[in-house]
Amino acid sequence: MNLSDKLTKAVKDAVQELFSATLESVEIQPTRKDFEGDLTVVVFPILRVAKGNPAVIGEQIGTYVKENLDEIADFNVVKGFLNLVISDAFYLNFFDVIKDQKNFGHEPEAGKAVMVEYSSPNTNKPLHLGHIRNNLLGYSVAEILKASGKKVYKTQIINDRGIHICKSMLAWQKFGAGETPESTGLKGDKLVGNYYVKFDKAYKEEQSYLVAQGKTKEEAEKEAPLILEAQDMLRKWEAGDEEVVALWKKMNGWVYSGFEETYKNLGVDFDSYYYESNTYLLGKDNIEEGLKKGVFYKKEDGSVWCDLTEDGLDEKLVLRSDGTAVYMTQDIGTAIQRVKDHPDVGGMIYTVGNEQDYHFKVLFLILKKLGYDWAEHLFHLSYGMVDLPSGKMKSREGTVVDADDLVEEMATTAGNIAQELGKLDGYSEVEKQELYKIIGLGALKYYILKVDPKKRILFNPEESVDFQGNTGPFIQYTYARIQSILRKAQDTGVAQDYVYEALQPKEKELIKQLALYPETVQLAAENHSPALIANYTYDLVKEFNSFYQQVSILGADTDAEKSFRVALSKKVGEVIEAAFGLLGIQVPERM
């Protein structure tokens, strides 16, 4: 039984014994910084069953709890709040238990697996800034769920078919002159993306010509030769035309190599991949089953619909009158297929921007109506846009910020700031470049993940690489400082063993902050929110820096103090590393 449970039981017992009343629940919260105490029992809700003066009732319960719980050293009552002081022995015992725990705060795997989908790009262009937020969120939520005790499969669905893919293919065929990633030195996704842009340019020129010939804008869009050729190519692809399919495979292969490089640079990974070219026919059988069950109904024109008006939504088309699928059909089929492929999956998380909020409400509701028990555990990890201050890091097209360019730019920004601060004397050039990348990526990831996913972000690269305040580099710098202390402790032969009985206030505060880590991991998993982990880590680092400034570690008066403070610093470093690992952020040994 943990302390919170023990305290809840003791307060209920006190109310039963002192007032012959039954208390259903006890409200406990951390004591406010300006009062003496560690945990506070809110007395006001108790007045519903125990009548009287709240201050007097608080005193009576405080006396009972102190007499009956060894962990409580003292108490005070302030305006209906019972503040309890927890004994040093409790915190020291807690620290002794956790200090050598390798996976402190992380639970072993149990129960049903969760599938987390993220990234899900199109194969006609490189990944951009929006994909960065998507990838960082999806990867981090997957890692947090793992740490909370879930088995996790990381997956993505790649949009590798459709008219947009054919546009790149056709443009390469017409204007490419046999160019390859090898012959140009370009990443495959960049090369294919360039041809998507070339198609668009040529298509617009054709439209302008047709409009000048007297066509309307709409007619020109439909009748331009390039779009007609692209549509013809799509029909050939769907019919399995050997030449078109071979070109499609070749160009998509280039793109996948490019994506893999970006994922590696970003530090994200996947366990499985789904391709729309394999899934676009899925779902039709499920629609047939749903018709038999009465989940769907057919209109006179043969189209199939799901009526969700009673659930506060609208009617949703799930199959066109000509029998072809819509996106919803595919998503229904793909979800069902994923559980067939991984029978231990009990829920799924879709990392997709907030413009798709309604789509996922409908999808989840339809899957529930079809009777799948795992459909109760589906979650749309919805997120807002990322904006940049205007004029900063615009890509060559002037509209979309390329993911690779941004990662490179972050390392450059980190390098410029580190050089200005003069922090890296004695580093080789290779070491410096590696460190700039770790700092730059850490800055980018932390800046994006510390914000609640639903909020829109204005991403400022210079601000994110500040070595002060709530930033990735500030936390990385504190971790490096701790490693420096540990190296010095080893060099000077600080003993590993100690007998320590009375805590300094700053030591106690630091242990209290460490104690919050396991519940923060669980809370972040429940809320699908890396922001909770990011901001916990910042609070831990602030607490450590306050401890570092006010309490001497290696210059402590006694060997016991020195050994205990080194052990405490080591544990803080381990928790920073573990928490940052959940955000996909590396921590450097030196900075």
Side-chain angles (χ1 to χ4, degrees), residues 61 85 116 189 200 378 417 461:
I61 293 172
V85 179
V116 183
D189 53 334
D200 197 51
L378 299 174
I417 291 172

Side-chain angles (χ1 to χ4, degrees), residues 16 38 110 122 148 163 334 356 437 439 488 537 550 558:
Q16 183 66 51
D38 302 297
N122 294 329
S148 78
I163 193 72
T334 304
Q356 295 289 337
K437 189 181 170 191
I439 296 169
K488 284 177 191 163
T537 314
Q550 294 187 41
T558 69

Side-chain angles (χ1 to χ4, degrees), residues 100-364:
D100 296 320
Q101 275 181 18
K102 282 286 166 244
N103 285 319
F104 167 63
H106 295 194
E107 291 297 318
E109 201 178 279
K112 283 275 196 182
V114 181
M115 185 169 271
V116 183
E117 176 192 292
Y118 55 98
S119 195
S120 304
N122 294 329
T123 58
N124 63 321
K125 51 183 184 255
L127 302 174
H128 55 67
L129 179 58
H131 288 116
I132 286 184
R133 188 175 197 187
N134 182 305
N135 275 275
L136 298 185
L137 269 175
Y139 176 85
S140 181
V141 165
E143 292 299 312
I144 290 165
L145 287 166
K146 267 192 220 172
S148 78
K150 292 269 191 292
K151 181 177 184 179
V152 174
Y153 296 107
K154 300 171 184 168
T155 196
Q156 59 170 307
I157 181 146
I158 299 170
N159 303 309
D160 65 341
R161 62 172 282 277
I163 193 72
H164 52 294
I165 313 296
C166 290
K167 287 175 180 178
S168 296
M169 288 160 59
L170 185 64
W172 183 83
Q173 233 179 17
K174 283 183 172 298
F175 318 123
E179 272 191 352
T180 66
E182 290 74 28
S183 73
T184 57
L186 276 177
K187 276 174 84 235
D189 53 334
K190 300 262 167 69
L191 181 69
V192 172
N194 288 349
Y195 282 99
Y196 185 69
V197 173
K198 281 180 184 171
F199 176 94
D200 197 51
K201 189 168 176 253
Y203 177 39
K204 281 187 176 134
E205 283 169 7
E206 287 187 349
Q207 288 175 55
S208 299
Y209 175 77
L210 289 172
V211 168
Q213 300 298 307
K215 298 276 186 190
T216 66
K217 187 172 178 293
E218 288 72 24
E219 284 170 342
E221 281 173 5
K222 284 178 185 166
E223 294 171 25
L226 266 177
I227 198 70
L228 296 175
E229 278 188 80
Q231 286 163 352
D232 185 50
M233 187 180 257
L234 180 59
R235 279 191 290 272
K236 282 180 178 172
W237 180 87
E238 288 184 351
D241 180 286
E242 278 184 30
E243 200 178 314
V244 171
V245 169
L247 176 62
W248 171 77
K249 282 182 178 171
K250 176 162 74 176
M251 291 182 71
N252 274 352
W254 295 344
V255 174
Y256 299 144
S257 300
F259 284 170
E260 282 309 313
E261 203 178 312
T262 306
Y263 294 142
K264 195 177 168 197
N265 284 335
L266 264 183
V268 302
D269 59 3
F270 300 90
D271 302 308
S272 65
Y273 297 82
Y274 285 81
Y275 298 90
E276 204 183 298
S277 54
N278 295 329
T279 64
Y280 81 106
L281 297 175
L282 289 177
K284 289 186 182 182
D285 293 349
N286 309 110
I287 303 302
E288 285 303 317
E289 282 169 36
L291 273 167
K292 286 175 197 161
K293 286 182 181 174
V295 174
F296 307 124
Y297 73 94
K298 214 172 239 189
K299 287 195 176 176
E300 283 174 17
D301 64 356
S303 59
V304 181
W305 296 73
C306 187
D307 186 355
L308 302 171
T309 49
E310 282 186 13
D311 302 280
L313 304 176
D314 59 7
E315 294 188 347
K316 188 71 190 173
L317 175 71
V318 291
L319 214 56
R320 293 190 188 98
S321 55
D322 61 2
T324 55
V326 289
Y327 266 113
M328 188 58 72
T329 328
Q330 290 177 48
D331 282 354
I332 291 165
T334 304
I336 295 163
Q337 185 61 44
R338 283 172 171 172
V339 181
K340 282 181 188 163
D341 294 343
H342 303 87
D344 56 344
V345 164
M348 291 179 225
I349 293 165
Y350 294 81
T351 313
V352 182
N354 56 15
E355 70 279 1
Q356 295 289 337
D357 284 356
Y358 186 77
H359 175 83
F360 284 102
K361 271 185 192 161
V362 172
L363 174 64
F364 298 169

